Amino acid sequence: MNNERKLDFGREASLAGASCPESLNRWIENLPDDLVEILNRIAETGHGAWAVGGCVRDALLGAHSGDIDLCSTCTPEEVMNLFGEQAIPTGIEFGTVTIKGASQHYELTTLRSEGMYRDGRRPDQVAWGTSLKEDLSRRDFTFNAMALDVARRILYDPFNGTKDMENRLVRAVGDPMQRCDEDGLRIFRAYRFLDRGQLGLWHLESTLHQAMQSKQPILTKVAIERKWTEFQKIMNGRHAADVLALMIHDGTIQHILPSLRFVRPELLDLFGKHFDESWLLKHRLGFLLVEFGPSEVKRSLGALKLPKSLLNQTLQFHRDLGTIPEPRTSSLRVFRYCLGEDANIHLRLQHLLVEISALVHGREPSKGSMTEVAVKWASLGPQHAPSESLVDGHWIMKRTGVEQGVRLGRLKNWLHRIQIENDITEVDAIELHLSRIPWQHGEPLEWPQLQFP
């Protein structure tokens, strides 16, 4: 934020606040100029607007928060009129308008006073309000129920969220049973907020934990897409293994990925000890589900309605696990070519599976010597051969007389494998190998192909 820019005072909240700690002051100093312009424009109308929720929480923790959410006394209609083409009515019936800034989008929600929740997700009725405290009182957890007056540099924390953060505690705002009844997804969100990355693993306040366990049936009302969004964040967390272990213990896991109820403790323990940022989501899911057959994993993950690309990549990685490449340079070159960026992590995970004799795909432990493979892999030089085949069908037909069809396609793939196995860079070397292999005989469907396993 340009320090010469003036922040205008809007309506003051009728709520006791406190001066901002240094971490919030630093955050305010670095706010984008387009956000300052938005806040000033609202202030000029006589309305109040406050930064709220996760951005305030993260700023207090000294963590980066990409999204900055606002709440305001300005009604959705007034926001739309005030910002014109900058305003997008993303959830206008519930008071939410997205404002397009020069650097990013900002979600602004009108202060609300709500009635009953009958569907475990949304309020039956929404009435616009002017009380910041009432609006904060309907939020999920205490550290998400804080607001910041940027111009006055006042922090509003009516439910002692800062104290709970100091104590590394996830606590509901008000009655935990009511919070879970209002939106069942809050159960998953509570698990997700246990993992604070570099700040460690937090713990659940006891009455919230009891409510999460007793209110699990409400999760059946929550759309699978919303549950998957939270579960994906849990799986990508630094302390995912610990959070998963608690979800398995509580039985909550059955509402998102029931197969994980039966994951071996040894497997989960290895996951917790060895995974790092190089493990993508497909690797994490594939590893934890490795003892289940491919068809069962396909059903389980398919029920989550994952993006098709993620589903297919996870299924492929899962299918490949359990197969150890032969400790020969030629075999490892093919392995590296076929798995690409997954090759390294495949070998790392394969080593862990051998360590506990995991029943890969529900059948038997992996076979092969990981020690020999590791030695050969470490000495494997870079690939010089081009990834694309050096020869095409016309080249092969001219030299062999083989016509278009299965035989030609299989021979081309065989030669491509030879190219990768031998790290060939010149067509003349392919022609030499063609003269040596028995392509005139045998069943083409039995010829070696460029694939793993």
Side-chain angles (χ1 to χ4, degrees):
M1 183 182 75
N2 186 337
N3 290 330
E4 296 180 0
R5 290 292 305 273
K6 180 179 179 294
L7 278 161
D8 295 331
F9 288 176
R11 181 185 301 183
E12 189 171 4
S14 56
L15 173 66
S19 298
C20 287
E22 187 55 34
S23 58
L24 276 184
N25 282 325
R26 287 195 300 270
W27 185 74
I28 292 172
E29 290 298 331
N30 290 286
L31 286 177
D33 287 343
D34 57 357
L35 177 59
V36 173
E37 292 175 7
I38 290 169
L39 292 171
N40 282 347
R41 197 181 303 183
I42 294 172
E44 289 169 2
T45 68
H47 281 290
W50 302 269
V52 68
C55 63
V56 180
R57 176 198 69 229
D58 291 345
L60 283 166
L61 292 171
H64 171 73
S65 180
D67 296 328
I68 299 177
D69 293 335
L70 306 172
C71 64
S72 175
T73 57
C74 210
T75 67
E77 292 75 14
E78 289 173 317
V79 174
M80 294 296 296
N81 290 332
L82 184 60
F83 290 96
E85 293 183 354
Q86 279 184 268
I88 308 170
T90 45
I92 196 165
E93 68 273 27
F94 296 101
T96 301
V97 175
T98 298
I99 302 174
K100 295 184 290 186
S103 64
Q104 66 184 81
H105 289 189
Y106 304 94
E107 193 172 272
L108 184 147
T109 302
T110 301
L111 298 182
R112 295 180 287 187
S113 176
E114 297 173 347
M116 296 288 292
Y117 287 72
R118 299 185 191 277
D119 64 357
R121 179 181 177 184
R122 292 192 177 108
D124 294 345
Q125 294 181 332
V126 176
W128 312 140
T130 57
S131 170
L132 178 60
K133 182 175 182 179
E134 182 179 359
D135 185 87
L136 296 177
S137 70
R138 63 176 179 75
R139 295 178 180 265
D140 51 10
F141 309 115
T142 57
F143 47 60
N144 290 335
M146 297 183 290
L148 175 64
D149 187 322
V150 173
R152 295 180 175 86
R153 302 202 177 197
I154 295 176
L155 172 65
Y156 298 103
D157 181 19
F159 304 103
N160 297 314
T162 51
K163 182 177 180 181
D164 286 335
M165 287 194 295
E166 290 172 4
N167 293 328
R168 301 157 64 93
L169 187 68
V170 180
R171 182 196 301 273
V173 174
D175 180 4
M177 294 287 192
Q178 182 180 349
R179 294 286 86 81
C180 292
D181 274 334
E182 289 170 347
D183 187 350
L185 191 67
R186 287 171 173 169
I187 296 173
F188 272 24
R189 283 171 59 81
Y191 287 113
R192 195 245 295 179
F193 280 119
L194 293 175
D195 189 346
R196 303 315 303 163
Q198 294 181 346
L199 299 176
L201 188 70
W202 291 13
H203 57 280
L204 294 166
E205 187 272 330
S206 59
T207 61
L208 172 59
H209 195 189
Q210 291 168 12
M212 290 162 60
Q213 292 170 310
S214 66
K215 291 293 184 179
Q216 284 186 31
I218 202 172
L219 284 168
T220 59
K221 298 181 179 181
V222 180
I224 190 63
E225 293 86 354
R226 298 181 73 220
K227 288 189 284 190
W228 166 247
T229 297
E230 292 299 324
F231 187 66
Q232 182 176 358
K233 294 175 182 177
I234 291 171
M235 286 294 298
N236 281 327
R238 175 176 289 201
H239 305 282
D242 296 289
V243 178
L244 286 174
L246 182 59
M247 294 178 71
I248 292 168
H249 174 272
D250 292 348
T252 322
I253 200 71
Q254 68 180 341
H255 296 281
I256 183 70
L257 196 53
S259 297
L260 287 183
R261 291 178 296 172
F262 309 107
V263 68
R264 285 176 61 186
E266 297 91 341
L267 199 62
L268 191 60
D269 184 56
L270 284 178
F271 178 67
K273 287 180 179 178
H274 294 280
F275 90 97
D276 54 39
E277 292 182 357
S278 69
W279 292 43
L280 303 179
L281 186 55
K282 62 179 178 180
H283 304 141
R284 301 178 187 209
L285 289 169
F287 181 76
L288 288 175
L289 295 170
V290 71
E291 296 195 313
F292 299 94
S295 60
E296 182 175 355
V297 172
K298 185 175 182 179
R299 285 195 302 271
S300 297
L301 296 181
L304 299 180
K305 299 183 180 180
L306 308 184
K308 188 174 181 179
S309 60
L310 175 60
L311 175 62
N312 291 336
Q313 290 169 14
T314 304
L315 293 174
Q316 182 63 56
F317 185 78
H318 174 268
R319 281 193 295 268
D320 290 341
L321 284 176
T323 305
I324 300 175
E326 295 180 5
R328 300 197 319 267
T329 298
S330 58
S331 295
L332 288 173
R333 283 172 175 163
V334 171
F335 164 76
R336 178 177 62 188
Y337 175 88
C338 292
L339 268 69
E341 62 181 13
D342 287 338
N344 269 309
I345 196 166
H346 175 99
L347 293 179
R348 287 173 55 197
L349 270 59
Q350 198 61 60
H351 180 80
L352 298 178
L353 295 174
V354 170
E355 183 179 317
I356 63 169
S357 299
L359 298 174
V360 178
H361 302 160
R363 293 193 297 270
E364 57 185 20
S366 303
K367 294 180 180 179
S369 172
M370 285 304 302
T371 302
E372 288 184 69
V373 170
V375 171
K376 281 286 188 180
W377 182 254
S379 63
L380 190 67
Q383 176 181 312
H384 297 104
S387 294
E388 296 298 321
S389 177
L390 286 167
V391 299
D392 59 19
H394 294 292
W395 184 94
I396 297 172
M397 286 189 289
K398 184 177 180 180
R399 284 157 179 79
T400 65
V402 175
E403 298 180 351
Q404 290 279 0
V406 173
R407 193 176 187 86
L408 177 64
R410 299 289 292 194
L411 181 54
K412 181 176 183 292
N413 197 278
W414 188 0
L415 292 174
H416 195 183
R417 180 184 180 102
I418 289 172
Q419 173 183 319
I420 299 301
E421 283 181 328
N422 296 277
D423 206 25
I424 295 172
T425 59
E426 301 293 336
V427 174
D428 289 348
I430 297 293
E431 190 159 15
L432 179 62
H433 279 279
L434 177 62
S435 69
R436 293 174 175 175
I437 61 175
W439 59 267
Q440 300 95 333
H441 311 289
E443 170 57 51
L445 295 180
E446 296 177 358
W447 290 346
Q449 297 294 286
L450 183 54
Q451 61 187 28
F452 177 86

